[in-house]
Amino acid sequence: MLPLRRLYPLVAGVGVLGASMTLVAGRVGGPAGMADMTVARYAAVDGEHAAAALGLLGVSSLVLVLGMWAVRGPMGGWTQWLMPVFGVGAVVAALVPGTAVAEGALLVAMVAMAGAAALMSRRFAEDERWRAIARPMEWLALGAGAALAVLTYVSLPGHGVLVGLVEWTLLGVETAVLALVAAHLTRVAWEDAGRQGGVEEVAYGAARRVGVR
């Protein structure tokens, strides 16, 4: 049986991949008007593909937080709260798609993930094990921030024109954030488990030698 530190990133990665494939499946032959329809509203009319994808993304985000804690990743401060906020918000939006509650929950979720990406890019740069993805995370954080700024404009003075396109773009960037974290967490978890196994093997060998003597 795989230890939890190895299992968490695998479960999250499969969830993110499944969410992406579900979204593509729902878009092919799905209802028209996606560009001017919010994600939460679209989730209520596309045959539950978008709702299922949101649910998978939300659960994956929560599992990633557990995985980061398991390997003592750089998850202190606001980061450890913003990712769960995204997870809970996405799950709520999946459970009650098309409602005002879903609209609000998903908006809060996307804002939270944009903030988490910005914080993670800084924290990853300060951690040797995570420094390799600090720059890609920084670019994703900038993309999320830009999409969030455009979303603010189209939602207020823009009268909702192309609001769906902007929300889907933001959600796509945030899905990439989850995928990047899941991929690197898998590497870190397996490397940590390998080092721990090596230490245990050395300790076991030393104990055997002492016993022989």
Side-chain angles (χ1 to χ4, degrees):
M1 180 177 178
L2 286 175
L4 286 177
R5 69 176 60 189
R6 292 184 177 183
L7 189 60
Y8 285 138
L10 292 178
V11 171
V14 170
V16 173
L17 178 61
S20 302
M21 295 175 63
T22 303
L23 284 174
V24 172
R27 188 64 190 101
V28 175
M34 184 179 183
D36 294 318
M37 193 183 302
T38 64
V39 174
R41 192 175 306 164
Y42 186 84
V45 298
D46 81 328
E48 299 183 353
H49 287 95
L54 290 174
L56 284 172
L57 289 176
V59 172
S60 297
S61 175
L62 297 174
V63 173
L64 278 178
V65 174
L66 295 176
M68 293 284 282
W69 284 340
V71 300
R72 296 181 176 85
M75 281 291 290
W78 281 100
T79 310
Q80 62 184 333
W81 303 111
L82 291 176
M83 283 188 70
V85 168
F86 173 85
V88 173
V91 170
V92 170
L95 293 175
V96 288
T99 64
V101 172
E103 295 276 356
L106 189 56
L107 180 60
V108 170
M110 291 191 291
V111 172
M113 182 54 73
L119 292 174
M120 284 190 291
S121 67
R122 183 183 306 174
R123 287 186 171 275
F124 288 172
E126 298 169 353
D127 191 306
E128 182 179 354
R129 296 183 303 166
W130 294 82
R131 194 169 296 146
I133 63 168
R135 182 53 60 88
M137 183 61 69
E138 182 179 355
W139 284 108
L140 289 173
L142 289 172
L148 196 57
V150 176
L151 178 61
T152 302
Y153 173 80
V154 299
S155 298
L156 298 174
H159 304 292
V161 177
L162 298 181
V163 64
L165 178 61
V166 179
E167 281 196 0
W168 282 110
T169 300
L170 176 56
L171 188 62
V173 172
E174 294 179 345
T175 300
V177 169
L178 294 175
L180 180 63
V181 174
H184 196 73
L185 178 59
T186 301
R187 176 182 176 183
V188 170
W190 282 78
E191 287 179 348
D192 283 0
R195 282 194 293 268
Q196 183 178 357
V199 171
E200 291 176 351
E201 185 176 346
V202 170
Y204 177 73
R208 282 180 57 86
R209 287 193 295 272
V210 171
V212 171
R213 291 175 186 174

